[in-house]
Amino acid sequence: MIKDILLVGTGSFFGGIARYLIALGMKGISGTYPWATMTANIAGCLLIGLLIPMLNRLSSPSQLSLLLTVGFCGGFTTFSTFSKESLNLLQSGNYMAFCLYAFGSVAIGILAVAIGFSLAK
């Protein structure tokens, strides 16, 4: 149990750092549209789509899965920031950007997971 918690925590630590580095790297181009969060979330969806089939082929994937999917991907992607930024777009009256961001993130995220699954098989 403690080992599993440490695996998730370690993965989350590195996933959060990776997300922050993306935000720093995209700081100049983001403007009012949340490109950095969208990029991290879609990249995380692609990554989890790649990881799950590969991990399922291992004889004992549970601990590696905790580290990489629950930990890293969970720390890398962010639903709370996505929700806050969606609300910001709504409150600013930027309805088109809200629709593109909210619905685009979900649709492209699901597509990215499916692409990851296809690539990993």
Side-chain angles (χ1 to χ4, degrees):
M1 175 74 152
I2 297 293
K3 184 178 179 181
D4 291 347
I5 292 169
L6 292 174
L7 286 169
V8 171
T10 300
S12 296
F13 174 80
F14 287 106
I17 289 171
R19 181 178 73 235
Y20 181 68
L21 291 173
I22 285 177
L24 286 179
M26 297 183 75
K27 195 170 193 152
I29 65 167
S30 286
T32 59
Y33 194 83
W35 288 110
T37 303
M38 190 172 190
T39 299
N41 285 342
I42 292 170
C45 288
L46 179 64
L47 182 59
I48 205 166
L50 288 166
L51 287 170
I52 289 174
M54 293 188 319
L55 291 168
N56 285 341
R57 287 194 287 270
L58 300 176
S59 59
S60 181
S62 64
Q63 290 188 329
L64 194 54
S65 181
L66 285 174
L67 175 72
L68 297 175
T69 62
V70 178
F72 185 85
C73 289
F76 183 62
T77 59
T78 173
F79 190 74
S80 58
T81 302
F82 162 78
S83 298
K84 175 193 69 86
E85 290 171 344
S86 296
L87 182 61
N88 288 347
L89 290 170
L90 272 177
Q91 288 176 332
S92 69
N94 200 340
Y95 303 114
M96 180 61 78
F98 163 77
C99 288
L100 289 172
Y101 181 57
F103 299 114
S105 291
V106 173
I108 296 169
I110 293 168
L111 180 62
V113 172
I115 290 169
F117 266 81
S118 293
L119 292 173
K121 287 193 174 196

